Amino acid sequence: METNPHKVPQDFFENQRREILASVLKSDTSMAKKPARIYSLLRPTLAVAASLAGIFFLTLFINEITPKECKTFACLLESTDLSDLSETEEATLEEWEYELYEDIDIEQLENLIQ
Amino acid sequence: MKVDIIKCDDKDLVSRILDERTKERAFSELLGYMHEPIYFHLRKMLGNHDDAADATQNTFIQFHTSLSGFKFKSKLATWIYTVATRKGIDIIRKRKAFVSIEDAEYQLKSDVYFDGNEASTKLHAAILTLPAKQRAVFILKYFEDLDYKSISEATGTSVGALKASFHHAKEKIKPLLISQV
């Protein structure tokens, strides 16, 4: 076998050995100090966030499709869309308006004011 | 056989490296066995000190990173040669190849860290003209004296292809050496 023709700078192997060891030991230390890997924490966090978001949007959707329980007449008026009324209800509504005006006796009203 | 250069049990050495209490001493022991062989292997592959030094450092760092996954299907030394050889092949492939043996010879003669005689310079220059994998195969067989099974693992090539590769490398180098006489 030939004599090795490749030479190295003085103290090369000792210096590099130190560098390699330092790098290896440092990487171990930094891995030990690291908290649980972000990915392993991220998954349950994302799962919880996704569940909450799902519940939120589901709630919105449910509220949209279910009628509100109104406590005031104003709320009832607002929440009732005329298009939701049946034909009978629409017809009754017109009659009610006429009835309303029929009930009012203008002479009686004037007397009341005076 | 070069794969026997680690003079202790592989499993024992690995378990000591993986144990925080004994890691530093065990890794120093490993470097004692493997540092120089790996460096000179890469030096022959890459042709200059700086590239070989970088590749050597990266080899041992990568080895350490992946050590917990080592399954002892091969000798530990073979595995380290594998990591080093693949690093060397990657570096060679990224570089511009030597066009001629004259260019390679010129580089070696200009290198302050190369101190070979005429024959040695010609041989190493001829090796530097080989393509990456062929170069790795030739060096592992001719200089490191690894068996074909170990070389197969180091280069990711079948034994049959290796034998052909080594034969082609020899056939390519021989006339270059003769023509320089």
Side-chain angles (χ1 to χ4, degrees):
Chain A
M1 187 71 77
E2 60 157 12
T3 313
N4 187 1
H6 300 291
K7 308 301 172 199
V8 296
Q10 196 170 1
D11 299 327
F12 163 71
F13 285 116
E14 290 77 21
N15 293 338
Q16 189 175 69
R17 208 163 293 184
R18 259 196 299 275
E19 284 173 22
I20 290 169
L21 273 174
S23 182
V24 159
L25 294 173
K26 183 182 169 189
S27 71
D28 270 350
T29 311
S30 63
M31 281 174 72
K33 278 187 187 165
K34 232 186 240 185
R37 290 174 64 176
I38 291 172
Y39 182 65
S40 64
L41 285 177
L42 197 56
R43 281 183 75 183
T45 308
L46 280 176
V48 168
S51 303
L52 288 174
I55 291 168
F56 175 70
F57 287 112
L58 192 61
T59 308
L60 283 180
F61 176 68
I62 290 169
N63 283 343
E64 279 295 315
I65 63 171
T66 55
K68 280 185 206 173
E69 197 174 322
C70 282
K71 291 185 181 168
T72 64
F73 187 62
C75 168
L76 183 64
L77 279 176
E78 277 176 8
S79 63
T80 306
D81 188 348
L82 279 178
S83 62
D84 290 340
L85 296 174
S86 65
E87 286 179 11
T88 311
E89 284 168 336
E90 280 187 23
T92 309
L93 183 64
E94 286 177 11
E95 286 178 9
W96 178 80
E97 281 179 358
Y98 288 127
E99 282 172 8
L100 176 65
Y101 287 110
E102 280 178 9
D103 282 344
I104 296 174
D105 184 344
I106 304 245
E107 279 183 13
Q108 283 181 355
L109 186 62
E110 282 175 357
N111 290 335
L112 281 170
I113 291 168
Q114 286 170 3
Chain B
M1 194 184 299
K2 280 289 179 80
V3 289
D4 291 332
I5 58 176
I6 295 179
K7 303 294 181 196
C8 64
D9 181 64
D10 284 354
K11 283 189 178 164
D12 174 64
L13 183 57
V14 168
S15 70
R16 283 190 285 125
I17 291 173
L18 293 174
D19 184 340
E20 283 306 311
R21 297 167 296 177
T22 52
K23 166 189 278 299
E24 188 173 350
R25 191 168 174 171
F27 207 91
S28 292
E29 189 180 331
L30 174 79
L31 287 173
Y33 292 126
M34 297 299 300
H35 190 191
E36 290 188 31
I38 291 297
Y39 167 82
F40 285 115
H41 168 59
L42 285 165
R43 182 74 185 268
K44 289 182 196 81
M45 278 188 75
L46 301 174
N48 70 84
H49 166 70
D50 290 338
D51 286 345
D54 285 345
T56 301
Q57 185 146 343
N58 291 334
T59 293
F60 284 105
I61 290 170
Q62 185 178 326
F63 159 79
H64 171 255
T65 306
S66 50
L67 184 57
S68 55
F70 182 59
K71 304 229 184 304
F72 300 96
K73 289 182 182 174
S74 64
K75 299 283 282 178
L76 192 62
T78 304
W79 190 43
I80 298 174
Y81 267 108
T82 301
V83 175
T85 301
R86 292 187 184 187
K87 283 221 178 296
I89 289 173
D90 284 344
I91 292 170
I92 293 166
R93 283 180 174 159
K94 284 177 190 163
R95 275 195 206 153
K96 194 179 163 189
F98 283 114
V99 178
S100 67
I101 190 171
E102 287 79 20
D103 289 343
E105 225 178 311
Y106 178 76
Q107 177 182 289
L108 288 174
K109 284 180 175 171
S110 318
D111 186 353
V112 295
Y113 296 118
F114 187 84
D115 185 26
N117 56 26
E118 200 62 29
S120 180
T121 305
K122 287 183 187 65
L123 172 62
H124 287 282
I127 290 168
L128 291 177
T129 63
L130 295 173
K133 238 183 197 179
Q134 230 173 60
R135 196 185 302 185
V137 170
F138 184 87
I139 291 168
L140 286 168
K141 187 67 191 148
Y142 183 78
F143 290 104
E144 309 302 331
D145 197 28
L146 290 189
D147 59 288
Y148 279 116
K149 185 170 173 290
S150 300
I151 299 174
S152 170
E153 190 178 324
T155 57
T157 311
S158 69
V159 170
L162 280 179
K163 291 180 178 176
S165 191
F166 183 62
H167 172 75
H168 286 309
K170 273 200 307 184
E171 293 304 305
K172 221 182 261 189
I173 286 178
K174 221 189 308 181
L176 291 175
L177 299 180
I178 293 168
S179 72
Q180 297 295 312
V181 171

